[in-house]
């Protein structure tokens, strides 16, 4: 039996490829926007925000390195490249997945430390510590991605033949300690830390709200700010957990039971749902962050106006008329600046 031949119907393969293409496009565009906005406001960025940028890098890395190969394989009705690309794809997925969950854990811890003294003018977490934390997430993920190469764990194709990951069904005995360690240290423990940190932040904000309400009729702006940041961070973490939980359940079932008992279509759905996690973060930023939404709209208007101006310049055949238009635009901009000043 060809392990790299799809066990799905051609129609399902085409549908899965279209879905992955949609996820790839929106993930790349959304996370690129996050990085562009971070670069634009880098001088005003606070240390904890670097973790959100680092998370965008992990999501963008997964979308760029994995999804094009998955789309092409789905439309070809078999996995392309054989063992080499299978191991590459599995390593990339495992590496970026571990980096994402560790980054979310670090973000929760940093947010909790910052919330301990909301009104303090001093930064609880400095740039050096945040940079070291970001570096630690990458190194930690790299160590876990290397373990299967040294005999602890194993990479292999998914049961439906159009993706590669950890070979869950082949680790019932020799790799069982790897699976238990993986789920304990990279799923259960991070989720517990994230829940405890955000629960502690919510309690802190509630107590601060009660104290401010008893002292005055106005809620401090700092409480409103941290409440909005808490909502964004919780939704991002919750989105990641919800996306990856079905895949974790199916993977654990493959280890404890016969992986062949799961129909290929059933094993496909959790994988597709897990890959959608790279799309949600920019969407959450856009919905709940007014500054991010405003900057994205400004960037869109800038590109739209630039494209229109470029197309108008191409349509004009008279070079003199193009130069006149440029001069007139400069005069208009000068006049607007004088009015605003």
């Amino acid at each position: 039996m060809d392990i790299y031949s799809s066990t799905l119907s051609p129609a399902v393969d085409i549908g899965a490829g279209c879905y992955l293409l949609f996820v790839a496009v929106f993930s790349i565009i959304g996370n690129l926007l996050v990085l562009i906005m971070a670069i634009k406001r880098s001088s005003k960025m606070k240390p904890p925000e670097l973790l959100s940028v680092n998370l965008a890098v992990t999501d963008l890395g997964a979308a760029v390195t994995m999804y094009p190969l998955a789309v092409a394989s789905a439309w070809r009705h078999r996995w392309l490249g054989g063992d080499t690309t299978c191991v590459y794809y599995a390593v990339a997925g495992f590496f970026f997945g571990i980096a994402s969950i560790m980054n979310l854990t670090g973000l929760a811890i940093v947010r909790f430390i910052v919330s301990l003294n909301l009104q303090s003018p001093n930064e609880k977490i400095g740039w050096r510590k945040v940079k070291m934390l970001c570096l630690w997430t990458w190194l930690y993920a790299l160590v876990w991605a290397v373990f299967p190469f040294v005999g602890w764990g194993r990479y292999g194709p998914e049961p439906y033949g159009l993706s590669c990951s950890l070979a869950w069904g082949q680790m019932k005995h020799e790799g069982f300690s790897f699976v238990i360690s993986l789920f304990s240290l990279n799923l259960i423990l991070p989720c517990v830390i994230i829940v405890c940190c955000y629960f502690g932040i919510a309690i802190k904000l509630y107590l601060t709200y009660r104290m401010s309400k008893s002292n005055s009729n106005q809620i401090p702006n700092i409480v409103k700010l941290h409440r909005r940041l808490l909502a964004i961070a919780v939704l991002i973490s919750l989105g990641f957990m919800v996306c990856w939980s079905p895949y974790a359940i199916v993977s654990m079932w493959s280890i404890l039971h016969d992986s062949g008992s799961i129909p290929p279509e059933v094993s496909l759905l959790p994988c597709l749902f897990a890959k959608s996690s790279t799309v949600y973060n920019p969407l959450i930023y856009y919905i709940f962050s007014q500054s991010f939404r405003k900057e994205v709209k400004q960037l869109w208007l800038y590109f739209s106006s630039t494209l229109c101006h470029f197309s108008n310049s191409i349509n004009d055949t008279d070079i003199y008329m193009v130069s006149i238009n440029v001069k007139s635009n400069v005069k208009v901009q000068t006049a607007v600046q004088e009015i605003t000043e």
Side-chain angles (χ1 to χ4, degrees), residues 83-136:
D83 294 337
T84 303
T85 57
C86 180
V87 173
Y88 156 78
Y89 189 89
V91 170
F94 189 41
F95 173 72
F96 286 115
I98 296 295
S100 295
I101 188 65
M102 288 298 109
N103 198 86
L104 291 172
T105 307
L107 181 62
I109 295 173
V110 169
R111 291 293 182 193
F112 176 74
I113 295 174
V114 172
S115 69
L116 293 178
N117 195 353
L118 297 178
Q119 298 178 347
S120 173
N122 300 323
E123 291 287 351
K124 291 290 184 181
I125 301 293
W127 282 106
R128 185 175 180 274
K129 293 180 180 179
V130 173
K131 290 178 181 178
M132 291 297 294
L133 183 58
C134 291
L135 179 61
W136 175 84

Side-chain angles (χ1 to χ4, degrees), residues 94 140-148 152 155 178 181-182 185-186:
F94 189 41
Y140 181 84
L142 180 61
V143 169
W144 275 93
V146 169
F147 278 148
W152 200 37
Y155 293 119
F178 173 80
S181 301
L182 174 64
L185 299 178
N186 298 304

Side-chain angles (χ1 to χ4, degrees), residues 200-227:
I201 295 174
I203 294 177
K204 178 64 177 179
L205 291 177
Y206 175 75
L207 295 176
T208 305
Y209 169 79
R210 291 292 300 269
M211 292 176 60
S212 63
K213 191 174 181 181
S214 61
N215 295 332
S216 62
N217 294 326
Q218 186 176 5
I219 303 175
N221 292 331
I222 190 68
V223 176
K224 295 181 180 179
L225 173 62
H226 280 271
R227 187 169 57 188

Side-chain angles (χ1 to χ4, degrees), residues 55 100-101 103-105 107-108 187 190-196 198 229-246 273-274 276-281 284-285 288:
L55 184 62
S100 295
I101 188 65
N103 198 86
L104 291 172
T105 307
L107 181 62
L187 183 62
C191 289
V192 171
I193 293 175
I194 291 172
V195 171
C196 291
Y198 288 140
L229 293 176
L230 174 64
I232 294 174
V234 168
L235 287 174
I236 291 174
S237 301
L238 185 63
F240 185 88
M241 295 178 189
V242 170
C243 287
W244 282 94
S245 293
F273 192 46
S276 67
S277 63
T278 58
V279 179
Y280 295 143
N281 297 345
I284 292 172
Y285 292 142
F288 291 92

